[in-house]
């Protein structure tokens, strides 16, 4: 999947991050990223641990003790706050929204989608899933520091969005395969329509901050003077000596700045810009000496145990 599968083109983002809300229609394959069966498996069988999930109702977070295993249980006392499927179901029945946070970390289809988007946009992408009972609202009107694609997977949700508190409100109703691009800082609130429980993905886009670029350049300059110190500063002439040394260092750094390898720096920054959505690696199995099942038979190993 890619940006095109969300109904947008790379060209729409080539000139900068769109500053207005936009809607599109996603490819039907996007709905397969998270199915009701997937949710059941994640909640009941995967041993999810906070903060991979949370719940909210009517603008307030629900106390985790209502939907996590009791601290006195053998497992929870060892591992931490684990998902209690029955408790989550009870809270959903009371109108609470379930949020699966950082979904790309533990649900491979979401990981593949976020990696494809990260490649298209050159920015880190994270996925959260929101499951809201019909007619319910999880979060009150709020803003987020990131732009996002809101992708409706099931049911329908009514969104009220506006760029600022003094701007008119725009109503957007999302149904399956509808996608809403919401710029960073926009006020928004969503309510599931009556008789229509809602499942949607929020694909948060986190571009690399310019301060990270400045930091990378600064680090390259710091390496130019690593280990060096100022000369002695005589008490009767400290100000003038220090001024002279600062002037010399400034001139030296200006020259060094001209020689910064911008191509290498850009390669490093590009890799860093998508590091939030890495592809899973079989590091453990490889460390044990295993190879992929489709590798040539001559390269496979059975290990000491004859596995």
């Amino acid at each position: 999947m890619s940006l095109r599968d969300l109904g947008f083109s790379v060209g729409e983002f080539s000139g900068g991050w769109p500053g207005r809300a936009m809607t599109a229609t996603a490819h039907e394959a996007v709905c397969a990223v998270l199915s009701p069966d997937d949710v059941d498996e994640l909640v009941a069988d995967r041993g999810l641990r906070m903060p991979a999930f949370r719940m909210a109702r009517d603008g307030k977070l629900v106390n985790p003790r209502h939907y996590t295993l009791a601290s006195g249980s053998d497992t929870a006392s060892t591992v931490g706050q684990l998902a209690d499927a029955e408790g989550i179901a009870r809270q959903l029945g009371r109108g609470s929204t379930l949020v699966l946070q950082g979904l790309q970390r533990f649900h491979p289809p979401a990981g593949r989608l976020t990696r494809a988007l990260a490649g298209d946009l050159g920015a880190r992408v994270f996925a959260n899933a929101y499951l809201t009972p019909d007619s319910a609202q999880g979060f009150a009107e709020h803003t987020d520091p990131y732009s996002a694609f809101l992708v409706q997977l099931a049911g329908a949700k009514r969104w009220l969005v506006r760029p600022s508190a003094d701007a008119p409100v725009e109503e957007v109703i999302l149904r399956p395969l509808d996608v809403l691009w919401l710029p960073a800082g926009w006020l928004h609130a969503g309510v599931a329509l009556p008789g229509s429980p809602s499942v949607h993905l929020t694909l948060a886009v986190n571009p690399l901050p310019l301060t990270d670029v400045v930091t990378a350049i600064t680090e390259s300059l710091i390496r130019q003077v690593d280990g060096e110190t100022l000369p002695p500063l005589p008490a009767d002439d400290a100000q003038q000596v220090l001024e002279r040394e600062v002037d010399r260092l400034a001139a030296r750094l200006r020259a060094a700045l001209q020689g910064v390898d911008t191509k290498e720096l850009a390669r490093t920054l590009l890799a860093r810009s998508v590091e939030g959505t890495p592809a899973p690696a079989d590091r453990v199995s490889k460390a044990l000496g295993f190879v992929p099942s489709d590798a040539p038979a001559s390269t496979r190993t059975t290990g000491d145990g004859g596995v």
Side-chain angles (χ1 to χ4, degrees):
M1 291 186 205
S2 63
L3 185 61
R4 182 177 299 176
D5 291 306
L6 295 185
F8 295 93
S9 68
V10 174
E12 291 178 274
F13 291 81
S14 61
W17 304 105
R20 59 182 180 85
M22 303 188 299
T23 57
T25 302
H27 188 277
E28 60 183 9
V30 173
C31 281
V33 171
L34 186 70
S35 69
D37 287 342
D38 291 334
V39 175
D40 286 338
E41 179 187 353
L42 289 170
V43 171
D45 302 326
R46 290 288 186 89
L48 287 188
R49 177 182 175 184
M50 293 192 76
F53 63 98
R54 59 177 174 159
M55 301 194 79
R57 180 171 64 247
D58 297 330
K60 297 180 180 179
L61 292 176
V62 178
N63 192 317
R65 68 183 178 85
H66 295 304
Y67 56 90
T68 58
L69 292 177
S71 59
S73 69
D74 292 339
T75 304
S77 63
T78 303
V79 179
Q81 293 176 300
L82 291 168
D84 176 6
E86 293 184 356
I88 289 174
R90 283 194 298 270
Q91 292 305 314
L92 288 170
R94 295 170 183 171
S96 297
T97 290
L98 170 65
V99 186
L100 300 175
Q101 303 186 131
L103 189 65
Q104 80 283 350
R105 292 290 187 181
F106 52 88
H107 187 54
R112 288 190 289 271
L113 175 57
T114 55
R115 287 194 298 275
L117 289 176
D120 284 343
L121 298 171
R124 290 165 286 189
V125 181
F126 303 90
N128 291 342
Y130 295 77
L131 298 92
T132 304
D134 69 273
S135 305
Q137 179 175 2
F139 297 89
E141 185 181 54
H142 65 284
T143 64
D144 292 315
Y146 49 77
S147 300
F149 299 96
L150 277 53
V151 186
Q152 195 70 24
L153 300 181
K157 204 163 197 177
R158 173 176 173 263
W159 290 93
L160 299 179
V161 303
R162 49 181 173 161
S164 61
D166 57 355
V169 174
E170 178 182 354
E171 179 183 273
V172 181
I173 295 179
L174 298 184
R175 294 184 170 83
L177 297 181
D178 287 340
V179 182
L180 171 64
W181 164 261
L182 197 65
W186 275 51
L187 288 157
H188 58 285
V191 181
L193 295 185
S196 183
S198 166
V199 179
H200 88 268
L201 286 178
T202 291
L203 301 171
V205 180
N206 290 262
L208 196 68
L210 283 181
T211 51
D212 284 16
V213 180
V214 173
T215 298
I217 295 174
T218 302
E219 289 173 350
S220 70
L221 295 180
I222 289 176
R223 288 192 290 271
Q224 300 285 331
V225 297
D226 188 35
E228 299 183 33
T229 64
L230 288 170
L233 301 176
D236 59 347
D237 198 26
Q239 176 70 25
Q240 291 184 352
V241 172
L242 187 55
E243 288 178 2
R244 184 170 62 250
E245 292 299 323
V246 170
D247 285 341
R248 289 176 178 174
L249 179 59
R252 180 179 170 187
L253 291 179
R254 282 193 292 270
L257 187 59
Q258 294 294 324
V260 169
D261 187 343
T262 55
K263 290 184 178 180
E264 178 59 30
L265 193 63
R267 280 193 292 268
T268 301
L269 289 169
L270 183 59
R272 188 184 304 174
S273 72
V274 296
E275 68 181 3
T277 49
D282 297 324
R283 295 189 181 94
V284 174
S285 61
K286 290 179 181 177
L288 288 171
F290 295 108
V291 296
S293 58
D294 57 353
S298 60
T299 65
R300 298 178 187 172
T301 179
T302 59
D304 293 340
V307 178

